[in-house]
Amino acid sequence: MRVYNFAAGPSMLPEEVLIEAGKSITDYLGSGMSVMEMSHRSKWYEDINEECRSLVCELMNVPDGYEVIFVQGGASTQFEAVPLNLMHTGKADYIVTGNFAKKAYKEAQKYGDVKLVASSEDKNFTYIPKTTALDFRKDASYVHITQNNTIFGLKYEKLPDTGEIPIVSDMSSCIMSEVTDVRNYGLIYAGAQKNLAPAGVTLVIVRKDLLGRESALCPTMLKYRTQTEARSLYNTPPCWSVYMMMLNLRHLKSRGGIAEIEKVNRRKAVLLYDFIDGSDFYSNKVEKESRSIMNVPFTTPNAQLDAKFVKEAEQDGLVSLKGHRLVGGMRASIYNAMPEEGVKSLIEFMKAFERENR
Ligand SMILES: *Cc1c(COP(=O)(O)O)cnc(C)c1O
C-alpha cells in the first residue's frame, strides 16, 4: 500500500511516474537494458538528456540567453560553485532566511568579501526581511537568496529589488511549484529530490552573460562552462535521476504544466493553513504573507503531544511528519506529487487527534 509521504526530501514522486519507470526497469525501449546500465554516450541516453533539458525550457519558459544544465553534488555543492563561478568582483551580498541560506552564506565567505545584507534569524526565521535596492552594494557580483525555506516553512512572495545586480536563487524546495519568470534571475539552482526527481541531479539555469569569469581556482567539475559546453555530458551523469526527471516533467506537462500545478498547490496550502489558523490546538508561527506553499510546519500545545501525533499519524499512513530538529513539532511537505486527498486526509487526522487529546 502506498502511504502519503510528507517528507521534506527525498519526497514523493507521482505514482504514474514510478509505474512508468518500473515498466522499463529491465529493458528500456527495446535496448535490452535498463537506463541504469546503459552508456551515457548511447543514442537512448542522448535523447533522454535532451528531452529533459527541453522540458525544463518549455515548462519554465526559459528565455534565450540562458543555459540549462544538470550537475551533481546536490544544492549544497552549489553553495560553493556559485561564488567560484560568479563572484568576479570579489564581492557578493546574501540574505539569510533559514538554515540552508546560512550555509550558503558561510561557504561563500571562503571566496571573497561577502556581506550579510539582511537576516530573519532574530525571530527564528519566521519572516522575510524587507530590503530595498539601496541595501545592496553596487559592485556586488550577485545577491543570493533562498526562495523557499524548507525547514522553517517560509518563502518569498515577491523578489527583493536588487536594481541591476543579478539574483541567484536556491529554489531546491519550490522549483516548478509555481510560475516563475526566469528573466528575473541571474541563476537558479535546485537539488532534484524535493520536486523533480530522485536525489543525484541538480538543475542549474544560468544567464549566459554571467559565465566566463570564474575564479582561476574553480574546479573543472564545478565550472558551469564545463557542462554548458558538454551539454551536461562532460563526465558520467546521474543517468537514472535525469531519466526520472524527464518522466516527471512529462507528467507535469500532461497535467497542464506549472500554471495548473500552482493552482493545486495553492489550494492544498490554503486548506491546511486555514485549518491550522482556525484551530486553537494547532499553530504555525510564520508571518502570513511569507508562508511556504510547499513546507508547512505546525505544532500541538506541547512536545509530548507532538511526538504522539507523529507516531499515530504514521500508523494511519501519513508518514514523515516529524518536524526538523531546529524547529520541532511537525512539518507537512506538500510538494507537487502530494495529492489533494493526502492533505485532506491529514486534516481529517488532525481533527480526530485534537478531539482525543485536547
Ligand atoms: C534540501 C535543500 C538543500 C540541500 O540540498 P542537497 O541536495 O541535499 O545538497 C539546499 N537548499 C534548500 C532550500 C533545500 O531545500
Short mmCIF file of all heavy atoms in Angstrom, two decimals, residues 157-218:
data_model
loop_
_atom_site.label_atom_id
_atom_site.label_comp_id
_atom_site.label_asym_id
_atom_site.label_seq_id
_atom_site.Cartn_x
_atom_site.Cartn_y
_atom_site.Cartn_z
N GLU A 157 7.29 35.83 -1.51
CA GLU A 157 6.14 36.02 -2.40
C GLU A 157 6.56 36.96 -3.52
O GLU A 157 6.11 36.86 -4.64
CB GLU A 157 4.95 36.61 -1.64
CG GLU A 157 3.78 35.67 -1.31
CD GLU A 157 3.34 34.67 -2.40
OE1 GLU A 157 3.16 35.08 -3.56
OE2 GLU A 157 3.15 33.49 -2.07
N LYS A 158 7.44 37.89 -3.18
CA LYS A 158 7.91 38.89 -4.15
C LYS A 158 9.43 38.96 -4.01
O LYS A 158 9.95 39.00 -2.90
CB LYS A 158 7.27 40.24 -3.78
CG LYS A 158 7.33 41.28 -4.83
CD LYS A 158 6.46 42.49 -4.42
CE LYS A 158 6.86 43.72 -5.20
NZ LYS A 158 8.18 44.27 -4.78
N LEU A 159 10.13 38.99 -5.15
CA LEU A 159 11.59 39.02 -5.09
C LEU A 159 12.08 40.37 -4.57
O LEU A 159 11.44 41.39 -4.79
CB LEU A 159 12.17 38.79 -6.49
CG LEU A 159 12.09 37.37 -7.04
CD1 LEU A 159 12.73 37.32 -8.43
CD2 LEU A 159 12.75 36.36 -6.12
N PRO A 160 13.25 40.38 -3.90
CA PRO A 160 13.79 41.68 -3.48
C PRO A 160 14.21 42.50 -4.70
O PRO A 160 14.61 41.94 -5.72
CB PRO A 160 15.02 41.28 -2.65
CG PRO A 160 15.37 39.89 -3.04
CD PRO A 160 14.10 39.25 -3.52
N ASP A 161 14.09 43.81 -4.58
CA ASP A 161 14.56 44.70 -5.65
C ASP A 161 16.06 44.86 -5.46
O ASP A 161 16.51 45.44 -4.47
CB ASP A 161 13.83 46.05 -5.53
CG ASP A 161 14.34 47.05 -6.55
OD1 ASP A 161 15.17 46.66 -7.41
OD2 ASP A 161 13.94 48.22 -6.48
N THR A 162 16.83 44.36 -6.41
CA THR A 162 18.29 44.45 -6.30
C THR A 162 18.87 45.37 -7.37
O THR A 162 20.08 45.36 -7.60
CB THR A 162 18.94 43.05 -6.42
OG1 THR A 162 18.63 42.52 -7.72
CG2 THR A 162 18.44 42.10 -5.36
N GLY A 163 18.01 46.13 -8.03
CA GLY A 163 18.49 47.01 -9.10
C GLY A 163 19.09 46.19 -10.23
O GLY A 163 18.45 45.27 -10.73
N GLU A 164 20.33 46.51 -10.58
CA GLU A 164 20.98 45.84 -11.72
C GLU A 164 21.69 44.55 -11.30
O GLU A 164 22.21 43.82 -12.15
CB GLU A 164 22.03 46.77 -12.35
CG GLU A 164 21.44 47.99 -13.04
CD GLU A 164 20.54 47.59 -14.20
OE1 GLU A 164 21.02 46.89 -15.10
OE2 GLU A 164 19.35 47.97 -14.17
N ILE A 165 21.75 44.29 -10.01
CA ILE A 165 22.55 43.14 -9.55
C ILE A 165 21.76 41.84 -9.74
O ILE A 165 20.61 41.74 -9.32
CB ILE A 165 22.92 43.30 -8.05
CG1 ILE A 165 23.46 44.70 -7.78
CG2 ILE A 165 23.91 42.23 -7.63
CD1 ILE A 165 23.55 45.03 -6.31
N PRO A 166 22.37 40.85 -10.41
CA PRO A 166 21.62 39.61 -10.65
C PRO A 166 21.28 38.86 -9.36
O PRO A 166 22.08 38.85 -8.43
CB PRO A 166 22.57 38.77 -11.51
CG PRO A 166 23.83 39.53 -11.68
CD PRO A 166 23.71 40.85 -11.00
N ILE A 167 20.11 38.28 -9.35
CA ILE A 167 19.69 37.45 -8.21
C ILE A 167 20.07 36.00 -8.48
O ILE A 167 19.81 35.47 -9.56
CB ILE A 167 18.16 37.57 -7.98
CG1 ILE A 167 17.80 38.99 -7.55
CG2 ILE A 167 17.68 36.55 -6.94
CD1 ILE A 167 16.32 39.21 -7.30
N VAL A 168 20.69 35.39 -7.49
CA VAL A 168 20.95 33.94 -7.53
C VAL A 168 20.02 33.32 -6.51
O VAL A 168 19.98 33.74 -5.35
CB VAL A 168 22.42 33.65 -7.14
CG1 VAL A 168 22.63 32.15 -6.96
CG2 VAL A 168 23.37 34.20 -8.20
N SER A 169 19.23 32.34 -6.94
CA SER A 169 18.23 31.79 -6.04
C SER A 169 18.35 30.28 -5.87
O SER A 169 18.42 29.54 -6.85
CB SER A 169 16.83 32.13 -6.57
OG SER A 169 15.84 31.63 -5.70
N ASP A 170 18.37 29.85 -4.63
CA ASP A 170 18.28 28.43 -4.31
C ASP A 170 16.79 28.09 -4.30
O ASP A 170 16.04 28.51 -3.42
CB ASP A 170 18.91 28.17 -2.93
CG ASP A 170 18.78 26.72 -2.48
OD1 ASP A 170 18.13 25.92 -3.18
OD2 ASP A 170 19.34 26.39 -1.42
N MET A 171 16.36 27.35 -5.32
CA MET A 171 14.94 27.00 -5.43
C MET A 171 14.70 25.51 -5.21
O MET A 171 13.73 24.95 -5.70
CB MET A 171 14.40 27.44 -6.81
CG MET A 171 14.41 28.96 -6.96
SD MET A 171 13.66 29.58 -8.48
CE MET A 171 11.98 29.06 -8.33
N SER A 172 15.59 24.89 -4.43
CA SER A 172 15.52 23.43 -4.26
C SER A 172 14.13 22.93 -3.85
O SER A 172 13.68 21.90 -4.33
CB SER A 172 16.52 22.97 -3.19
OG SER A 172 17.83 23.23 -3.62
N SER A 173 13.48 23.66 -2.96
CA SER A 173 12.23 23.13 -2.43
C SER A 173 10.99 23.82 -3.01
O SER A 173 9.89 23.62 -2.51
CB SER A 173 12.22 23.22 -0.90
OG SER A 173 12.54 24.52 -0.49
N CYS A 174 11.18 24.61 -4.07
CA CYS A 174 9.98 25.23 -4.67
C CYS A 174 10.05 25.23 -6.19
O CYS A 174 9.13 25.74 -6.85
CB CYS A 174 9.78 26.65 -4.15
SG CYS A 174 11.18 27.73 -4.46
N ILE A 175 11.09 24.63 -6.75
CA ILE A 175 11.25 24.65 -8.21
C ILE A 175 10.01 24.03 -8.87
O ILE A 175 9.53 22.98 -8.46
CB ILE A 175 12.56 23.90 -8.62
CG1 ILE A 175 12.86 24.08 -10.09
CG2 ILE A 175 12.52 22.41 -8.26
CD1 ILE A 175 13.66 25.28 -10.42
N MET A 176 9.47 24.71 -9.85
CA MET A 176 8.30 24.26 -10.63
C MET A 176 7.04 24.06 -9.78
O MET A 176 6.13 23.34 -10.18
CB MET A 176 8.61 22.99 -11.42
CG MET A 176 9.75 23.19 -12.41
SD MET A 176 9.76 21.99 -13.73
CE MET A 176 11.45 22.18 -14.31
N SER A 177 6.98 24.70 -8.62
CA SER A 177 5.76 24.61 -7.82
C SER A 177 4.82 25.75 -8.15
O SER A 177 3.63 25.69 -7.88
CB SER A 177 6.09 24.65 -6.33
OG SER A 177 6.65 25.90 -5.97
N GLU A 178 5.36 26.81 -8.72
CA GLU A 178 4.54 27.94 -9.14
C GLU A 178 5.22 28.63 -10.31
O GLU A 178 6.42 28.43 -10.55
CB GLU A 178 4.33 28.93 -7.98
CG GLU A 178 5.60 29.49 -7.42
CD GLU A 178 5.36 30.42 -6.22
OE1 GLU A 178 4.34 31.13 -6.22
OE2 GLU A 178 6.20 30.43 -5.32
N VAL A 179 4.48 29.43 -11.03
CA VAL A 179 5.03 30.08 -12.22
C VAL A 179 6.14 31.05 -11.81
O VAL A 179 5.98 31.82 -10.87
CB VAL A 179 3.91 30.82 -12.99
CG1 VAL A 179 4.48 31.60 -14.16
CG2 VAL A 179 2.86 29.81 -13.47
N THR A 180 7.28 30.94 -12.48
CA THR A 180 8.45 31.75 -12.16
C THR A 180 8.90 32.45 -13.43
O THR A 180 8.98 31.81 -14.48
CB THR A 180 9.60 30.81 -11.71
OG1 THR A 180 9.16 30.06 -10.60
CG2 THR A 180 10.84 31.59 -11.33
N ASP A 181 9.19 33.74 -13.34
CA ASP A 181 9.73 34.44 -14.50
C ASP A 181 11.25 34.37 -14.45
O ASP A 181 11.90 35.10 -13.69
CB ASP A 181 9.24 35.89 -14.52
CG ASP A 181 9.61 36.59 -15.82
OD1 ASP A 181 10.46 36.05 -16.56
OD2 ASP A 181 9.04 37.66 -16.09
N VAL A 182 11.82 33.48 -15.25
CA VAL A 182 13.27 33.23 -15.22
C VAL A 182 14.07 34.49 -15.50
O VAL A 182 15.19 34.66 -15.01
CB VAL A 182 13.62 32.08 -16.21
CG1 VAL A 182 15.13 31.86 -16.31
CG2 VAL A 182 12.92 30.78 -15.81
N ARG A 183 13.48 35.42 -16.24
CA ARG A 183 14.19 36.67 -16.58
C ARG A 183 14.57 37.49 -15.34
O ARG A 183 15.42 38.36 -15.42
CB ARG A 183 13.33 37.54 -17.50
CG ARG A 183 13.21 37.00 -18.92
CD ARG A 183 12.20 37.78 -19.70
NE ARG A 183 10.89 37.78 -19.01
CZ ARG A 183 9.79 38.36 -19.46
NH1 ARG A 183 9.83 39.02 -20.60
NH2 ARG A 183 8.66 38.29 -18.78
N ASN A 184 13.92 37.21 -14.23
CA ASN A 184 14.24 37.95 -13.00
C ASN A 184 15.49 37.43 -12.30
O ASN A 184 15.86 37.96 -11.24
CB ASN A 184 13.07 37.89 -12.02
CG ASN A 184 11.86 38.64 -12.53
OD1 ASN A 184 12.02 39.61 -13.29
ND2 ASN A 184 10.68 38.20 -12.17
N TYR A 185 16.10 36.40 -12.85
CA TYR A 185 17.21 35.76 -12.16
C TYR A 185 18.49 35.74 -13.00
O TYR A 185 18.43 35.62 -14.23
CB TYR A 185 16.87 34.30 -11.83
CG TYR A 185 15.66 34.14 -10.94
CD1 TYR A 185 14.37 34.14 -11.48
CD2 TYR A 185 15.81 34.02 -9.56
CE1 TYR A 185 13.27 34.01 -10.66
CE2 TYR A 185 14.70 33.88 -8.74
CZ TYR A 185 13.44 33.88 -9.29
OH TYR A 185 12.34 33.76 -8.49
N GLY A 186 19.61 35.79 -12.29
CA GLY A 186 20.89 35.53 -12.94
C GLY A 186 21.15 34.04 -12.96
O GLY A 186 21.66 33.49 -13.93
N LEU A 187 20.78 33.39 -11.88
CA LEU A 187 20.99 31.95 -11.77
C LEU A 187 19.97 31.34 -10.82
O LEU A 187 19.63 31.95 -9.79
CB LEU A 187 22.41 31.67 -11.28
CG LEU A 187 22.86 30.20 -11.23
CD1 LEU A 187 24.34 30.08 -11.60
CD2 LEU A 187 22.62 29.53 -9.88
N ILE A 188 19.49 30.17 -11.20
CA ILE A 188 18.59 29.39 -10.34
C ILE A 188 19.23 28.02 -10.17
O ILE A 188 19.73 27.45 -11.14
CB ILE A 188 17.21 29.22 -11.03
CG1 ILE A 188 16.44 30.54 -11.07
CG2 ILE A 188 16.37 28.13 -10.34
CD1 ILE A 188 15.20 30.50 -11.98
N TYR A 189 19.25 27.52 -8.95
CA TYR A 189 19.69 26.13 -8.78
C TYR A 189 18.71 25.38 -7.89
O TYR A 189 18.02 25.98 -7.06
CB TYR A 189 21.12 26.02 -8.25
CG TYR A 189 21.40 26.57 -6.87
CD1 TYR A 189 21.27 25.77 -5.74
CD2 TYR A 189 21.82 27.89 -6.70
CE1 TYR A 189 21.57 26.26 -4.46
CE2 TYR A 189 22.10 28.39 -5.43
CZ TYR A 189 21.97 27.57 -4.32
OH TYR A 189 22.26 28.06 -3.07
N ALA A 190 18.66 24.07 -8.08
CA ALA A 190 17.73 23.25 -7.30
C ALA A 190 18.19 21.81 -7.28
O ALA A 190 18.36 21.19 -8.33
CB ALA A 190 16.32 23.33 -7.89
N GLY A 191 18.41 21.29 -6.09
CA GLY A 191 18.59 19.84 -5.94
C GLY A 191 17.28 19.19 -6.35
O GLY A 191 16.21 19.73 -6.11
N ALA A 192 17.36 18.01 -6.98
CA ALA A 192 16.16 17.44 -7.60
C ALA A 192 15.20 16.76 -6.64
O ALA A 192 14.02 16.59 -6.96
CB ALA A 192 16.58 16.44 -8.68
N GLN A 193 15.69 16.38 -5.47
CA GLN A 193 14.94 15.38 -4.68
C GLN A 193 13.72 15.90 -3.93
O GLN A 193 13.09 15.16 -3.20
CB GLN A 193 15.90 14.68 -3.71
CG GLN A 193 16.46 15.55 -2.59
CD GLN A 193 17.71 16.30 -3.00
OE1 GLN A 193 17.98 16.51 -4.16
NE2 GLN A 193 18.49 16.75 -2.02
N LYS A 194 13.38 17.19 -4.13
CA LYS A 194 12.16 17.70 -3.49
C LYS A 194 11.00 17.68 -4.49
O LYS A 194 9.92 17.24 -4.17
CB LYS A 194 12.37 19.13 -2.99
CG LYS A 194 13.69 19.39 -2.26
CD LYS A 194 13.70 19.07 -0.82
CE LYS A 194 15.01 18.93 -0.10
NZ LYS A 194 15.92 20.05 -0.03
N ASN A 195 11.27 18.20 -5.68
CA ASN A 195 10.13 18.38 -6.59
C ASN A 195 10.37 17.86 -8.01
O ASN A 195 9.49 17.98 -8.85
CB ASN A 195 9.76 19.87 -6.66
CG ASN A 195 8.28 20.11 -6.45
OD1 ASN A 195 7.51 19.16 -6.28
ND2 ASN A 195 7.87 21.34 -6.49
N LEU A 196 11.56 17.31 -8.26
CA LEU A 196 11.87 16.97 -9.66
C LEU A 196 12.15 15.51 -9.93
O LEU A 196 11.73 14.96 -10.96
CB LEU A 196 13.09 17.79 -10.13
CG LEU A 196 12.96 19.31 -10.17
CD1 LEU A 196 14.30 19.94 -10.55
CD2 LEU A 196 11.86 19.74 -11.14
N ALA A 197 12.88 14.86 -9.05
CA ALA A 197 13.42 13.53 -9.38
C ALA A 197 14.00 12.91 -8.11
O ALA A 197 14.01 13.56 -7.06
CB ALA A 197 14.53 13.69 -10.43
N PRO A 198 14.51 11.68 -8.21
CA PRO A 198 15.27 11.17 -7.06
C PRO A 198 16.55 11.99 -6.88
O PRO A 198 16.96 12.70 -7.81
CB PRO A 198 15.62 9.73 -7.45
CG PRO A 198 14.86 9.43 -8.68
CD PRO A 198 14.46 10.71 -9.31
N ALA A 199 17.19 11.88 -5.73
CA ALA A 199 18.44 12.60 -5.48
C ALA A 199 19.49 12.20 -6.51
O ALA A 199 19.42 11.13 -7.10
CB ALA A 199 18.94 12.29 -4.08
N GLY A 200 20.47 13.06 -6.71
CA GLY A 200 21.59 12.73 -7.59
C GLY A 200 21.83 13.75 -8.67
O GLY A 200 22.94 13.89 -9.17
N VAL A 201 20.78 14.49 -9.03
CA VAL A 201 20.97 15.51 -10.06
C VAL A 201 20.54 16.86 -9.49
O VAL A 201 19.65 16.95 -8.64
CB VAL A 201 20.19 15.16 -11.36
CG1 VAL A 201 18.70 15.02 -11.13
CG2 VAL A 201 20.47 16.17 -12.46
N THR A 202 21.22 17.90 -9.93
CA THR A 202 20.90 19.27 -9.54
C THR A 202 20.70 20.08 -10.81
O THR A 202 21.53 20.02 -11.73
CB THR A 202 22.06 19.88 -8.70
OG1 THR A 202 22.31 19.01 -7.60
CG2 THR A 202 21.71 21.26 -8.20
N LEU A 203 19.61 20.80 -10.85
CA LEU A 203 19.30 21.63 -12.01
C LEU A 203 19.92 23.02 -11.82
O LEU A 203 19.79 23.61 -10.75
CB LEU A 203 17.78 21.75 -12.15
CG LEU A 203 17.24 22.75 -13.17
CD1 LEU A 203 17.59 22.33 -14.59
CD2 LEU A 203 15.71 22.89 -13.02
N VAL A 204 20.61 23.51 -12.86
CA VAL A 204 21.13 24.87 -12.83
C VAL A 204 20.66 25.60 -14.09
O VAL A 204 20.81 25.09 -15.20
CB VAL A 204 22.69 24.89 -12.77
CG1 VAL A 204 23.22 26.32 -12.87
CG2 VAL A 204 23.19 24.24 -11.48
N ILE A 205 20.08 26.78 -13.89
CA ILE A 205 19.68 27.63 -15.01
C ILE A 205 20.45 28.93 -14.84
O ILE A 205 20.35 29.58 -13.80
CB ILE A 205 18.16 27.91 -14.99
CG1 ILE A 205 17.36 26.59 -14.98
CG2 ILE A 205 17.74 28.79 -16.17
CD1 ILE A 205 15.86 26.77 -14.81
N VAL A 206 21.26 29.27 -15.83
CA VAL A 206 22.15 30.42 -15.64
C VAL A 206 22.15 31.32 -16.87
O VAL A 206 22.12 30.84 -18.01
CB VAL A 206 23.59 29.94 -15.26
CG1 VAL A 206 24.17 28.99 -16.29
CG2 VAL A 206 24.52 31.12 -15.03
N ARG A 207 22.17 32.62 -16.60
CA ARG A 207 22.23 33.60 -17.68
C ARG A 207 23.60 33.54 -18.34
O ARG A 207 24.63 33.63 -17.66
CB ARG A 207 21.98 34.99 -17.09
CG ARG A 207 21.05 35.85 -17.90
CD ARG A 207 20.68 37.09 -17.14
NE ARG A 207 21.83 37.99 -17.05
CZ ARG A 207 21.94 39.00 -16.18
NH1 ARG A 207 20.95 39.24 -15.33
NH2 ARG A 207 22.99 39.76 -16.16
N LYS A 208 23.62 33.42 -19.66
CA LYS A 208 24.88 33.19 -20.38
C LYS A 208 25.92 34.28 -20.14
O LYS A 208 27.10 34.01 -20.05
CB LYS A 208 24.62 33.09 -21.88
CG LYS A 208 24.03 31.77 -22.30
CD LYS A 208 23.79 31.74 -23.82
CE LYS A 208 22.99 30.49 -24.18
NZ LYS A 208 22.42 30.56 -25.53
N ASP A 209 25.47 35.52 -20.04
CA ASP A 209 26.45 36.61 -19.92
C ASP A 209 27.16 36.61 -18.57
O ASP A 209 28.12 37.35 -18.37
CB ASP A 209 25.78 37.97 -20.18
CG ASP A 209 24.77 38.32 -19.10
OD1 ASP A 209 23.80 37.55 -18.92
OD2 ASP A 209 24.96 39.34 -18.41
N LEU A 210 26.70 35.80 -17.63
CA LEU A 210 27.39 35.73 -16.33
C LEU A 210 28.52 34.70 -16.35
O LEU A 210 29.32 34.62 -15.41
CB LEU A 210 26.40 35.38 -15.21
CG LEU A 210 25.24 36.35 -15.01
CD1 LEU A 210 24.32 35.86 -13.90
CD2 LEU A 210 25.77 37.75 -14.67
N LEU A 211 28.57 33.92 -17.41
CA LEU A 211 29.58 32.86 -17.50
C LEU A 211 30.90 33.40 -18.04
O LEU A 211 30.92 34.42 -18.72
CB LEU A 211 29.08 31.73 -18.41
CG LEU A 211 27.83 31.02 -17.92
CD1 LEU A 211 27.35 30.00 -18.95
CD2 LEU A 211 28.07 30.33 -16.58
N GLY A 212 31.98 32.70 -17.73
CA GLY A 212 33.26 33.04 -18.34
C GLY A 212 34.16 33.89 -17.46
O GLY A 212 35.24 34.28 -17.88
N ARG A 213 33.70 34.19 -16.24
CA ARG A 213 34.54 34.99 -15.36
C ARG A 213 34.80 34.25 -14.05
O ARG A 213 34.91 34.84 -12.99
CB ARG A 213 33.87 36.34 -15.10
CG ARG A 213 34.00 37.28 -16.31
CD ARG A 213 33.34 38.62 -16.07
NE ARG A 213 31.89 38.49 -16.07
CZ ARG A 213 31.05 39.52 -15.91
NH1 ARG A 213 31.52 40.73 -15.74
NH2 ARG A 213 29.75 39.32 -15.92
N GLU A 214 34.89 32.91 -14.16
CA GLU A 214 35.06 32.13 -12.94
C GLU A 214 36.45 32.30 -12.33
O GLU A 214 37.38 32.72 -13.02
CB GLU A 214 34.76 30.64 -13.18
CG GLU A 214 35.57 29.96 -14.27
CD GLU A 214 35.02 30.23 -15.67
OE1 GLU A 214 33.82 30.02 -15.95
OE2 GLU A 214 35.83 30.64 -16.51
N SER A 215 36.55 31.98 -11.06
CA SER A 215 37.83 32.05 -10.36
C SER A 215 38.80 31.04 -10.99
O SER A 215 38.39 29.96 -11.43
CB SER A 215 37.60 31.71 -8.89
OG SER A 215 38.72 31.06 -8.35
N ALA A 216 40.09 31.41 -11.01
CA ALA A 216 41.10 30.51 -11.58
C ALA A 216 41.15 29.20 -10.80
O ALA A 216 41.57 28.17 -11.31
CB ALA A 216 42.46 31.19 -11.56
N LEU A 217 40.71 29.26 -9.55
CA LEU A 217 40.75 28.07 -8.71
C LEU A 217 39.53 27.17 -8.86
O LEU A 217 39.44 26.11 -8.27
CB LEU A 217 40.86 28.49 -7.24
CG LEU A 217 42.21 29.01 -6.80
CD1 LEU A 217 42.14 29.54 -5.36
CD2 LEU A 217 43.27 27.92 -6.91
N CYS A 218 38.55 27.62 -9.63
CA CYS A 218 37.30 26.87 -9.72
C CYS A 218 37.57 25.46 -10.27
O CYS A 218 38.09 25.31 -11.38
CB CYS A 218 36.32 27.61 -10.64
SG CYS A 218 34.71 26.82 -10.73
#
